Amino acid sequence: MKTEIEELLRKKEIKITANRILILELLLNTPHSLSIATIEKALPWADRATIFRTLKTFEKKALLHAVKDDDKPIKYAICSDACEVNYHKIHPHFHCDTCGNTFCLYDYDFRLPKLPDNYTADKYSLVINGICSNCQKHNI
Amino acid sequence: MKTEIEELLRKKEIKITANRILILELLLNTPHSLSIATIEKALPWADRATIFRTLKTFEKKALLHAVKDDDKPIKYAICSDACEVNYHKIHPHFHCDTCGNTFCLYDYDFRLPKLPDNYTADKYSLVINGICSNCQKHNI
DNA sequence: TACGATTTGCAATTAGATTGCATTTGGTTT
DNA sequence: AAACCAAATGCAATCTAATTGCAAATCGTA
Ligand SMILES: [Mn+2]
Ligand SMILES: [Mn+2]
Ligand SMILES: [Zn+2]
Ligand SMILES: [Zn+2]
């Protein structure tokens, strides 16, 4: 496991450090996006500023992306394999009103409809709110 | 003009005050959403806290809605006529990378595609980034 | 081992949103 | 008109999240 993570960091040209390994491991093992505060709770020995800068580094290297839902602390999630430094695969996100988690919807078939005349688009952000598959089950 | 505004406030059951009239007038006369800071600049005599609470009041009464694009300060825009206290007409927003303004797209034909199994949606937020009609013209 | 470039830890700052509280204001009741 | 009450306002203070400065710790390499 740790080897895979180091491999990933190497591939993205990010210098390997203990902090980075553990933060990346946490993100990889979590099915939803995480905020700095949440990462801080999961890795109590880690410093907030270090987490912040680690996330920024990862973001710059297209290892993860910021997820901005309606809630306050910004969350971060691992990028798709397709993402590179100069190309980010845009995709919708789903925010569950029950568990509060926000998920990346990589397989959701969504395309932007034609814009009004004289408007050009280069990216979008779609956040859907509702109840996630997991909370659906536990709520019967 | 002022009479129309007072009429609108009356219809929404909001007590009429000087602050509210002028803040609402500004929002009505602006084609894009406005942040508290921007309103503060346009109405220098107004207090930030008062603007804040006025916007909250307006929001609660379905006179306007918060617009959350990728940029930091939250913006606010007048609601559509269809909006009521218990029903808000959801619509996409357009953020212009050139002028920085964010517009409501009331006439944009957008419907949420079918979600993955076991996911239910009750609302969404779509923000499109690009260049607006106005900046398009000035950029030839 | 010494050196130079990064990364890290800790404290402090910034930005924006939000609140407490005393005062003012506006409408209503004697 | 004077007293009265509730809501609105102004100003300062607080809170949360994001971000930065700087010195010490690290790491790879000469
Ligand atoms: Mn995502
Ligand atoms: Mn809008
Ligand atoms: Zn859920
Ligand atoms: Zn524009």
Side-chain angles (χ1 to χ4, degrees), chain B residues 94-101 103 130-136:
Chain B
F94 185 91
H95 175 85
C96 176
D97 297 324
T98 299
C99 62
N101 293 329
F103 306 85
I131 299 177
C132 78
S133 149
N134 204 45
C135 288
Q136 211 78 254

Side-chain angles (χ1 to χ4, degrees), chain A residues 108 113 118 123 125 127 136, chain B residues 108 113 118 123 125 127 129 136:
Chain A
Y108 185 54
N118 301 315
K123 63 172 189 168
S125 156
V127 178
Q136 210 79 253
Chain B
Y108 185 54
N118 301 315
K123 62 171 188 167
S125 155
V127 179
N129 290 72
Q136 211 78 254

Side-chain angles (χ1 to χ4, degrees), chain B residues 85-108:
Chain B
V85 171
N86 44 15
Y87 166 75
H88 179 246
K89 183 172 187 189
I90 299 175
H91 56 275
H93 291 96
F94 185 91
H95 175 85
C96 176
D97 297 324
T98 299
C99 62
N101 293 329
T102 303
F103 306 85
C104 298
L105 295 183
Y106 281 116
D107 297 326
Y108 185 54

Side-chain angles (χ1 to χ4, degrees), chain A residues 49-65:
Chain A
T50 301
I51 298 174
F52 173 79
R53 285 185 282 228
T54 297
L55 295 177
K56 287 296 175 197
T57 299
F58 285 3
E59 193 178 18
K60 218 172 304 178
K61 298 288 189 167
L63 186 46
L64 55 77
H65 59 278

Side-chain angles (χ1 to χ4, degrees), chain B residues 1-26 28-29 58 61 63 78:
Chain B
M1 183 71 208
K2 186 163 293 177
T3 315
E4 286 175 43
I5 289 172
E6 292 181 19
E7 193 50 51
L8 186 50
L9 289 170
R10 217 179 323 267
K11 183 166 54 181
K12 294 284 186 175
E13 295 179 298
I14 298 167
K15 193 181 288 187
I16 295 173
T17 72
N19 276 302
R20 291 170 175 181
I21 289 176
L22 290 167
I23 291 174
L24 178 53
E25 185 173 36
L26 175 62
L28 282 170
N29 290 331
F58 285 3
K61 298 289 188 165
L63 186 46
I78 295 291

